[in-house]
Structures are given as structure tokens and as C-alpha cells.
Amino acid sequence: MSSLRNHRVIIASLFLPTTAVPGESSPPTPDIYARAIGATAATQDLGGRPPAFKHASSRSIGSSPAPLKSIVDDLKSRAITPISTPPSELNPFSKFASLAPSPAGSISISPPSIQTIDASLAKFQPDPLHPVRLQRRSSSKPPRHPVRTHSYSSTPSEPYYFAPNTHCNGGLKNAVESVKDRMTTKLWVGTLGNSTDGYSTELKASIDRRMKEMHSSLPVWISDAEFESCYDEFCHQVLWPCLHYAVPDAPKTKLFFESAAFKQYAAVNKRFAEAIESVWTEGDVVWINDYHLMLLPLLLRQSTRVPALACAPIGYFMHVAFPSSEIFRCLSVREHLLRGMLGADLVGFQTASYARHFRQTVSRILAVEALPKGIQVEYGVPGGAREGHGRFVDVGVFPMGIDVGALRERRREPDVSYWVQLLKQRYAGMMIVVGRDKLDEIQGVKHKLEAFELFLKKWPEYQGKVILLQVALQTTESNELAAGGVSDVVARINSAFSTLTYQPVVFLHTQEVTFSQYLALLTVADAFLVTSLREGMALRTHEFVECQDGRHRPLILSEFTGSYSYSGFRSCIAVNPYDAHGTAKAIRQALTMSDEEALSRWEDLHNHVVTQTAQTFVTSFLTRCLRANTEHTTQTDLNAVPALNTTLLLPRYKHSSRRILLLDFEGTLWRSDMSRAGLLAPFVPPEGAIELLNKFSANKRNEVWLLSGLPIKSLEQVAEKAPGVGIVAENGCFAKIPVQNGKGGMWISMVANLNLTWKGLCVEILNYFTERTPGSFVEEREASVVWRFWTGPTDDCSDRQWARRQAAEAQNHIFDSLGERYGLRIIPGSNSFLVLPNNISRSTAVGAILHPGGPAHSPRSSSMPDLDVPVNGGGGEAGFVFAVGGDEKLLRRLNELDNAETVSTSGKGTDARWKLGAEDVGDVMWLFANCP
């Protein structure tokens, strides 16, 4: 993260964290404190989907034959004696709390000063006062004032004030705020979330200036009609259902397959590109967020206004799920969206399965090579500065988390303790199952209620003893109508099981609950229930786990959430939300679980929560983005690398008392026959290369190492004819010590402590693909496996395209089924790919060679368990380190040595200090070999 201190991060998201509201700023109303302690995750559980601009009445959900009672009405109808009463002007429950006097001697709990409230957590409840861009049905609740700052105006008749934007991605905002001490400079780019057609030019200019000065934000001005078509129609009615496996049933599919709103979607993305172009400077990192801006990465790469953006570090992160190719291919604009995303250096997802779906979708729809690490885009960026060059797009997994430290601070506030005690008294003797979901169909609220109803029927002894307390987030109008089914189920449950003193289902709305009350609910819960039909990282489960520190009650989690895909969350009680009987059984299991088992499960969950935090998410994504950009940009211009200057290097070589030579075998000293017959023929050491190696090793000042990917049995022939040369075999899996003064000559295994049983499974998979790929064959070696999927002509014929598609499928299959389990990595080539253990490479082998302990100390031998040996150790003992080859990772590491000269023979873009044509290698090497 320290590298980010030298970069400004431009964060592009549809909505800014702060909005400008027209009107005079008035003094806070009595409920300001309650609103100021809003939730940290108002929208982070929505997978980046912002809430609707205006919500329906909080008194009920849709239309219901029986009104649903909120906790306010529920508690108000039962006069109880609270433990203590906060000041009524700061307490939204003061109406019911004041019905009974406080006990004698009770101490009033005073909330902390409003000035000390963390602004990053002040966004739980919706803000009815914001001018809405999309008109929804009006709220029947009296309006509340948002948390306001000072008033400003461009003219006396146009005052405005700033307030937290309730539409922004709360999880992203809080994650960025959690690293504000390390991300020193940033700039948010997005819309205000208000209707802006009536804003004058002077007002917009004033807002632009003050937003940049006070909130590090750049508003993007979009007409209301254009934004409405993009956001409400294309984003919510086309992209959102597709990404969550909710393809509409025929015949209601015309909008989904042929949406005219894509033009407005593209126009909004274009506006964002223009805004970023106006502020981008050299060194800025662009971070694009979510499905609203899928076209933006490519638009920036194609910029003619700022050509340097073609090489800028650009990262794109998808906050929601990504479906399988069979779903995504239904979109008529699928290619535009995929190509837009591939304009980034790095495309990030919440889980490995979403990343895999993306790779497979790109491979099958765009017919490009999809590898476990990312996508090889052969066509480059059309119209951009890199046109004509292939480029590689990294695809990574970055699970979002919560700011654990900030949440712990909030839990320690006095008002949280107050509501915990109040809830314990109110529901004394009862068990509470808590849920918090948006009323979207994919959130599975109806499935949850039906399972709870079945639970009460199957185990009637829990009637009157267990309640389901459901917090409902605001939603769009269409989803409110769809929620009528939820309303019916709630009414049915309450009418069937309610008594004078018991109501089984209590519905809460976010505008009725402050964040402190929400934390209190999580603290007193006996179980937390999530039944999403499809979701990314359910961050509300992280909040529940942290709030259960001290109680350790279980989590019931849908197996269709992204959180469940991580090993730490496998200690939850997993449910299939479509199986009501299984979910009902899980509820009973949670309520009857022993304290010992609950503690064991909670510890596993908590370890994940405190490890995969918001800080980890931001730092890992941006660091990987910078690294990916560095790797990509260095491979675009070979002309910038100077040709090897022997006049300059030969004197240094001559006058060095000790020299280490690291020479690649294949592709540098020896050009093998890549035809099928040549590959299958027995290996014969090339005489010219053997003669050159012996000439180098004959000089006592030289220590010569031959770096190869060939197996030991082939390189043994080289060792016999050139005994004074050290050899690295199978790309770093084995190393042979050179014979010096009659000593050495033994082979050392770098993989002695590794489990190699994966080879049999890998060969079995490759045999399956070999049967379907004409001319291909498998090479099984001592510690690695090679699949030669193409041995024909190098022209891009249809058969070779098919072979490459099969190779991409095979690599993905191996990576998904064996990669994580056995710790494997895959090195792709133009006509083959290599599978070998993680952290084993020529680079690590050279690290061991240059280590002060000497080459005999293998990083995988029993004498040296440490694998990643620093390359700047023993290399300092040599006056001259000379590396010639095509391994970019090795050349990049050796560049860290002051006494190293690196030469690339790959003919591609490189980080090496020099380049050398393959046809010139022999002549140049003999110049050095003939020097004394």
C-alpha cells in the first residue's frame, strides 16, 4: 500500500458519497442524532446496487389484508419499564419509552457528542428530502431532515447544502474511508443522485468547486431523462436480473433482449469518461466500480483527448455476482459489455466462481484465450494507442469485508448498550432470529418467511418462544409490488400463530431503525438468517459475527451467497433457500446448538471477518492493479529497449574477478524443432551450445548456469558433456551443482517436500482433452506436466483456433479442480502450457543460487525450508551477473541488482536492460566466451 502514497486514486462510481441538496440548511431536528448514527452497510449488502430514490410507506409492504406491525408499534402497544431512557430528542423510540417511568436509581445513558460521530457510518436510513431523479410513490411518513452542513449558494436565490448520499455504494465508501491514512489523495467521480435539470450553470459551477475542495469529489452532470433510462431501465431491468440469474420468462423478454436504453447507458458511460479525462494526470490510478460502468474502461483506453490514458493503470471491480455464460449470452449487447470490461488492466470479482464465469464467458463469446490468471486479448484495444498489440488482462478475486475497528468503536457507544438491555427485557424468555434484506425477489425474503412458518408448524413447542425480526431495506416500486407475496406470508403467519402477548414475525424498516438499534439487534440475536437466492458478499453476516463477540450464536447462510464460497464461512449452517424443510431444520439446529459447538463455529467465522477486512480489500485490489499495469505497459514497446552494447559491457566483463552467467537453453542457446516429429524424437544435445558452455566454464572466474524447462533425463546428456556447468531443470524444480575440483555434480530437488500426487489427476484431465484435440499430446515429467496442444503450422488457421480454445478450457478445468487444492500454477505458451507447483520457477532457483549459502542450499530441500530467497544476497559477491534469456520474471528480479546486466532474447516487450536478436545470440556469446 505504500506505493499508493505516490498515486492519486480516481474512484468512479455511479453515485458520489456526498450530494448537494438545494435549499437552506436549517438547524438539526430532534431526530438528527438517530439519523447521524446510520448504518455502515446501507447498500453494501446490495452488491453495489443503490437503493431506490424514494421508498414506499414504511407501515406496510405493498398491500396487505392485515397491516404489518413494526417494532415501534409493537413496543409502543406494550407499556414496559425501560432500563434507562436516553434524551427523548435523540431517541426515535422515546414515544413508547416514555409511557412508563424509569426505575428508581437508574442512570440515564447520554449519547456521545454528535460531533464525534464517524461520518463514514452515517448513511443507514433513506433521505426523503433529497430531490428524486426517478419518481416513486410518496412516503406516508413525515419527512425527516438529513444530516446537514453549512449552506452555500452561487447566487442569493440558489442556496444548497451538502449531505450524505444515501444512494452511494456504502460498502465501497466505508472501505475507502478505512484506508484514508494510507490513500493520501483520492478523487470520487459520480453523480449526485438528485434531479439536476433545474440547476443553473452558476449553481453547477459552485457545486463543482466546493465538492472538489471539501469532499474530493467531481460531479458528473447528466440529464434526468438520460439518467432515468440508463439507471432504471437498463441497469435495473436488464443488467441486474441477468447478473443474478433472473432471466425473465417468455413472452416478457423483449426489454431484456432488445433494450433501447443501452444507448443511454453508453451515453452515461461516455459522460464519465469525459469527466475523468478532464482531471486525469500522469500517475493517477483509475478505479471503476460496478455494473453501471461496464463500458468505461475501454472508453478511457480509446481516449483521443488524452492519449496517455491508453497506458494508465485502470482497475474494474464488479460488486455483484457474475453469471455463467449461458445466462450472459442472452444479452443482445453482450460483446460491447465484455469488451468494455477488458479495457482494464485488472478485472476484480468477489469470489472465484464469479471470476471463473467471467473467464469462460469471455472465452466462449469473444473467442479469446482465457487463462486462470486472466484474459489474453489478441485484438488489442481497437482505436486505442495499443491497437495492433495483444495485451493481457488480469482477472482476480478480492473479497470485500467490513471495517472491523470502526464497528467495534460503534458497539462501545452507550446507546447501543442501552438498546441491547431494552431488547433483552422486552423479549425476555424468547429466542430471536434476525434477518436484514432488501425486498428484492433474489434476496429470498419470501423463502425465509415460508421456512419460518414451516418451522413453527413442525415444532409447535417453539410457538410463543421464537420470533423472526426482519429488517427490510427500501426498494424500487416494481419490487414493492412484487413484495405483496411477502406481505401475504407475514399476515398469514401472524394470524395463525399470534396471541395476546406474542407476534411471531416483526417487520422493521430502515427508516424506523437507527444503526445503534440495528447493532443491538445483532447483539441479542440467537441466530442470523440469510436466504438469498443469489448474492455477492453478504456483509451483514460479517457485522453479525463481529457483534456476536461474547455470545457466539450461529449464522444460517444461503449457499448461493458469495460469502459461503470462502472456507471461513463454511462453519455457518448452510441452507438451500429453495428447500423450506431444510431451512426450517437449520433454524431449529441453530436454536438448539450447544455453546461449545457454537463457539467453535464462531471462531472460524470470526477469523475470516478480521482477516478479509475492508482495508485488505482496498489495498490488495489497488496494489494488484498497479502491478498488472506495470507488467502490461512494459510489453508494448520493444523499440524503447536498447540493443546489447558489447563495447560497453565487454570491459566490465573482462575486469570482473568473479562472474555469474545465467543462460537460457531453449530459445537462446538452442532452437528446438517444434514439429510433432521433432518434439517426439529423442533429445540430442546441440554441439555448438555444448562447446560454448565448456568455453565459458573453463574460465575459473566464471560460474555458469544453464536454465531449462527440459526434464532431468534429457539434461543429463548435457551434464555429461559439460560437467562444469550448473543446470536448472523443469523450470526450477531441480538443480544440478556444477563439478568443481572433483566435487559437485549431484541433483537437488526443489520440490522434495511437496505433494506430487496431483500429476496423475492432471494427466487424466489432459488425456480427456487430447482425445478431442487432433495432434496434441501430454508430456509427464518428474515434477511437472506439459500439454502440447498444437504442433502444426504457426498460421492462425481454424484448427489452431480450436486447439487454443481447448487449451483454455483445459487450463481452467485444471486450475479450478486442482489448483487451489494442491497449490499449482500454469504457465501458458503459444502452442503448449506447463503445470507445476506454486512458487517454483527459474526465478526462485536463481534466488537460491545467488544466496550467500550458495547453490547447494535449495529452497525446497530439508536444509532450507524458506522458499522465496532474496535475490540480492550472494549476488553481491560477484562483480558481474550476466543473464541472457526470455524469462521476464527472472529478468525483472535481477534488475534489482546493481551489478547485473539483463538481456532479453524473446523479441517481445521486456523489462530487461538490453535486447538481443535470436540470430545474434551465438556470435555475441562467443565474444564474451573468448575474453580472458
Side-chain angles (χ1 to χ4, degrees):
M1 189 68 178
S2 60
S3 62
L4 289 178
R5 297 182 188 275
N6 303 322
H7 299 269
R8 181 178 67 165
V9 181
I10 299 177
I11 307 168
S13 183
L14 187 63
F15 295 103
L16 293 172
T18 304
T19 188
V21 184
E24 291 284 355
S25 177
S26 59
T29 52
D31 62 353
I32 278 295
Y33 178 72
R35 293 183 56 77
I37 51 178
T40 182
T43 56
Q44 63 191 17
D45 283 330
L46 309 184
R49 179 178 182 180
F53 289 105
K54 186 174 285 187
H55 53 271
S57 170
S58 62
R59 296 175 184 173
S60 63
I61 313 166
S63 57
S64 172
L68 305 180
K69 302 183 70 176
S70 73
I71 193 171
V72 180
D73 301 322
D74 178 56
L75 295 178
K76 182 178 178 181
S77 64
R78 299 171 173 85
I80 63 172
T81 301
I83 294 126
S84 59
T85 306
S88 60
E89 69 273 15
L90 301 178
N91 180 6
F93 286 3
S94 59
K95 293 182 179 180
F96 77 82
S98 62
L99 295 177
S102 299
S106 64
I107 300 174
S108 177
I109 301 176
S110 298
S113 170
I114 296 177
Q115 283 74 17
T116 63
I117 296 169
D118 183 1
S120 68
L121 302 177
K123 352 184 344 307
F124 185 62
Q125 302 180 17
D127 181 10
L129 281 192
H130 285 190
V132 294
R133 191 185 286 277
L134 307 181
Q135 294 298 323
R136 304 295 186 195
R137 65 179 71 171
S138 300
S139 172
S140 60
K141 290 184 64 65
R144 294 179 176 180
H145 292 283
V147 179
R148 299 177 178 177
T149 58
H150 297 289
S151 295
Y152 309 96
S153 63
S154 58
T155 65
S157 60
E158 293 182 309
Y160 63 92
Y161 59 90
F162 293 131
N165 193 340
T166 58
H167 309 312
C168 82
N169 186 325
L172 173 64
K173 176 184 181 296
N174 295 324
V176 172
E177 287 296 319
S178 70
V179 295
K180 59 185 177 182
D181 57 329
R182 287 173 282 179
M183 188 189 297
T184 54
T185 55
K186 62 178 180 293
L187 179 67
W188 289 88
V189 178
T191 66
L192 297 178
N194 300 336
S195 176
T196 58
D197 280 357
Y199 288 18
S200 66
T201 303
E202 293 79 9
L203 178 60
K204 291 180 179 179
S206 176
I207 292 175
D208 280 342
R209 183 177 63 258
R210 293 193 179 277
M211 286 287 281
K212 184 175 182 180
E213 293 173 354
M214 302 177 60
H215 300 284
S216 301
S217 298
L218 174 65
V220 179
W221 301 102
I222 302 171
S223 67
D224 293 351
E226 188 173 71
F227 187 92
E228 179 177 351
S229 182
C230 163
Y231 176 80
D232 194 46
E233 184 176 329
F234 190 77
C235 290
H236 281 181
Q237 300 182 46
V238 178
L239 281 182
W240 177 265
C242 172
L243 295 173
H244 292 84
Y245 290 79
V247 178
D249 296 331
K252 300 177 182 180
T253 56
K254 181 175 177 58
L255 178 65
F256 185 82
F257 296 110
E258 301 177 4
S259 174
F262 180 71
K263 294 181 180 179
Q264 285 70 40
Y265 179 84
V268 169
N269 277 254
K270 182 64 175 176
R271 295 291 184 89
F272 270 79
E274 293 169 351
I276 294 174
E277 288 172 349
S278 67
V279 297
W280 184 87
T281 58
E282 194 73 31
D284 287 351
V285 181
V286 182
W287 182 5
I288 302 169
N289 290 275
D290 229 354
Y291 63 99
H292 313 100
L293 303 174
M294 295 173 73
L295 303 179
L296 184 54
L298 183 59
L299 290 175
L300 294 176
R301 291 288 185 216
Q302 294 177 336
S303 174
T304 55
R305 179 181 172 187
V306 186
L309 275 167
C311 297
I314 299 176
Y316 176 88
F317 187 79
M318 179 71 80
H319 289 263
V320 298
F322 196 91
S324 69
S325 59
E326 295 303 313
I327 299 294
F328 197 86
R329 69 189 302 182
C330 296
L331 289 172
S332 60
V333 292
R334 59 193 186 183
E335 291 193 19
H336 298 282
L337 298 174
L338 294 176
R339 292 183 189 275
M341 295 172 68
L342 292 177
D345 292 299
L346 170 65
V347 180
F349 295 91
Q350 298 272 20
T351 71
S353 61
Y354 300 158
R356 181 176 68 252
H357 290 164
F358 175 73
R359 295 195 309 266
Q360 293 174 345
T361 300
V362 169
S363 174
R364 293 167 183 172
I365 293 178
L366 300 183
V368 298
E369 187 176 8
L371 307 173
K373 187 183 176 182
I375 310 295
Q376 182 65 49
V377 187
E378 294 295 339
Y379 54 78
V381 181
R386 298 182 186 180
E387 186 172 7
H389 296 276
R391 58 188 299 271
F392 192 82
V393 180
D394 279 20
V395 177
V397 179
F398 308 90
M400 184 178 276
I402 63 173
D403 187 348
V404 177
L407 187 63
R408 287 173 179 171
E409 289 293 326
R410 297 301 306 276
R411 288 188 63 214
R412 286 194 285 266
E413 293 180 358
D415 54 329
V416 176
S417 300
Y418 166 79
W419 291 113
V420 167
Q421 297 178 62
L422 186 65
L423 288 168
K424 286 181 178 179
Q425 183 182 22
R426 167 62 186 88
Y427 295 110
M430 287 191 180
M431 290 178 282
I432 305 175
V433 179
V434 176
R436 198 198 76 156
D437 304 276
K438 196 174 188 293
L439 291 183
D440 259 330
E441 186 177 352
I442 63 167
Q443 294 294 317
V445 178
K446 185 177 181 181
H447 298 71
K448 178 189 300 186
L449 293 168
E450 290 174 342
F452 184 71
E453 179 183 25
L454 185 61
F455 163 75
L456 294 177
K457 289 180 178 178
K458 291 186 66 175
W459 292 280
E461 64 271 20
Y462 288 101
Q463 296 176 18
K465 299 180 181 179
V466 179
I467 68 166
L468 172 62
L469 208 155
Q470 177 68 39
V471 179
L473 302 179
Q474 57 179 327
T475 184
T476 61
E477 183 174 4
S478 60
N479 288 327
E480 288 166 3
L481 297 176
V486 174
S487 175
D488 294 339
V489 177
V490 172
R492 184 173 72 237
I493 296 173
N494 284 340
S495 62
F497 301 103
S498 291
T499 66
L500 290 175
T501 59
Y502 172 67
Q503 178 179 307
V505 178
V506 178
F507 240 90
L508 300 141
H509 290 262
T510 54
Q511 60 266 38
E512 297 174 331
V513 184
T514 68
F515 188 54
S516 296
Q517 294 161 359
Y518 170 65
L519 291 181
L521 290 174
L522 296 183
T523 302
V524 303
D526 294 285
F528 192 81
L529 180 57
V530 177
T531 54
S532 302
L533 307 183
R534 188 70 56 176
E535 189 175 1
M537 295 299 291
L539 296 188
R540 59 194 183 278
T541 61
H542 297 226
E543 294 169 339
F544 168 74
V545 171
E546 182 58 34
C547 286
Q548 284 291 311
D549 186 6
R551 294 195 69 233
H552 315 132
R553 299 316 303 163
L555 167 68
I556 307 173
L557 183 63
S558 167
E559 62 188 42
F560 297 113
T561 62
S563 299
Y564 180 70
S565 65
Y566 289 93
S567 58
F569 270 79
R570 295 301 174 91
S571 292
C572 68
I573 302 176
V575 295
N576 177 357
Y578 296 98
D579 178 11
H581 289 270
T583 305
K585 184 179 179 181
I587 295 174
R588 183 175 183 272
Q589 179 185 353
L591 298 178
T592 59
M593 184 176 294
S594 66
D595 292 341
E596 293 77 13
E597 181 182 354
L599 174 60
S600 175
R601 289 173 177 263
W602 179 86
E603 287 175 344
D604 292 339
L605 295 169
H606 191 252
N607 287 337
H608 176 91
V609 171
V610 298
T611 303
Q612 298 295 341
T613 62
Q615 292 88 340
T616 302
F617 163 70
V618 175
T619 55
S620 61
F621 181 84
L622 293 178
T623 302
R624 173 82 174 271
C625 180
L626 283 171
R627 185 172 72 247
N629 176 260
T630 301
E631 294 173 355
H632 300 164
T633 54
T634 55
Q635 298 178 3
T636 58
D637 191 5
L638 182 61
N639 294 327
V641 182
L644 179 63
N645 189 336
T646 55
T647 304
L648 181 65
L649 293 188
L650 278 174
R652 283 191 56 196
Y653 178 85
K654 290 179 180 178
H655 295 95
S656 297
S657 59
R658 180 169 178 258
R659 304 176 291 228
I660 297 180
L661 283 70
L662 305 168
L663 309 176
D664 269 3
F665 190 36
E666 305 96 307
T668 300
L669 299 184
W670 172 57
R671 294 280 175 174
S672 61
D673 182 1
M674 300 305 295
S675 67
R676 181 180 177 84
L679 291 170
L680 294 176
F683 172 74
V684 178
E687 293 299 329
I690 297 297
E691 184 180 357
L692 177 65
L693 292 172
N694 283 325
K695 182 67 175 179
F696 271 124
S697 61
N699 191 322
K700 294 183 178 181
R701 290 193 289 169
N702 291 340
E703 182 179 334
V704 186
W705 286 86
L706 185 68
L707 312 180
S708 174
L710 295 177
I712 291 178
K713 63 180 180 181
S714 297
L715 294 174
E716 278 284 9
Q717 301 179 52
V718 176
E720 291 177 1
K721 296 184 177 182
V725 176
I727 300 176
V728 173
E730 291 195 31
N731 293 285
C733 293
F734 302 94
K736 187 192 82 69
I737 308 303
V739 176
Q740 295 180 353
N741 300 321
K743 298 180 180 179
M746 74 288 292
W747 285 94
I748 296 175
S749 174
M750 305 283 191
V751 293
N753 298 330
L754 297 182
N755 180 3
L756 299 179
T757 57
W758 59 268
K759 286 178 29 185
L761 300 172
C762 181
V763 170
E764 184 177 349
I765 293 172
L766 291 176
N767 285 337
Y768 169 85
F769 284 95
T770 298
E771 295 175 359
R772 289 153 181 78
T773 310
S776 64
F777 62 93
V778 181
E779 291 182 19
E780 183 177 1
R781 299 175 177 176
E782 292 290 331
S784 59
V785 177
V786 178
W787 190 43
R788 308 280 183 181
F789 57 83
W790 180 252
T791 55
T794 57
D795 59 319
D796 199 20
C797 59
S798 58
D799 287 344
R800 190 185 184 196
Q801 292 178 3
W802 167 256
R804 294 183 65 177
R805 291 281 298 277
Q806 291 294 99
E809 290 282 351
Q811 291 177 62
N812 284 317
H813 191 75
I814 293 171
F815 186 81
D816 294 335
S817 59
L818 304 176
E820 183 177 357
R821 181 181 176 186
Y822 291 98
L824 306 179
R825 70 188 185 104
I826 300 175
I827 302 176
S830 57
N831 298 312
S832 63
F833 66 80
L834 170 70
V835 185
L836 74 168
N838 263 334
N839 300 318
I840 295 296
S841 65
R842 301 186 189 191
S843 180
T844 57
V846 170
I849 293 170
L850 299 181
H851 190 271
H857 294 279
S858 162
R860 274 299 182 188
S861 68
S862 58
S863 60
M864 280 195 63
D866 182 22
L867 174 64
D868 197 8
V869 180
V871 75
N872 55 0
E877 300 175 4
F880 190 75
V881 177
F882 192 38
V884 184
D887 190 319
E888 284 301 316
K889 183 178 179 181
L890 173 61
L891 297 177
R892 193 177 300 119
R893 286 192 69 191
L894 289 173
N895 281 339
E896 299 173 10
L897 294 177
D898 295 333
N899 58 348
E901 295 293 341
T902 54
V903 183
S904 174
T905 60
S906 64
K908 302 178 182 178
T910 178
D911 277 341
R913 296 173 180 173
W914 309 96
K915 65 182 178 182
L916 183 63
E919 65 280 1
D920 300 323
V921 171
D923 294 338
V924 172
M925 288 296 99
W926 274 107
L927 285 177
F928 284 90
N930 289 326
C931 287

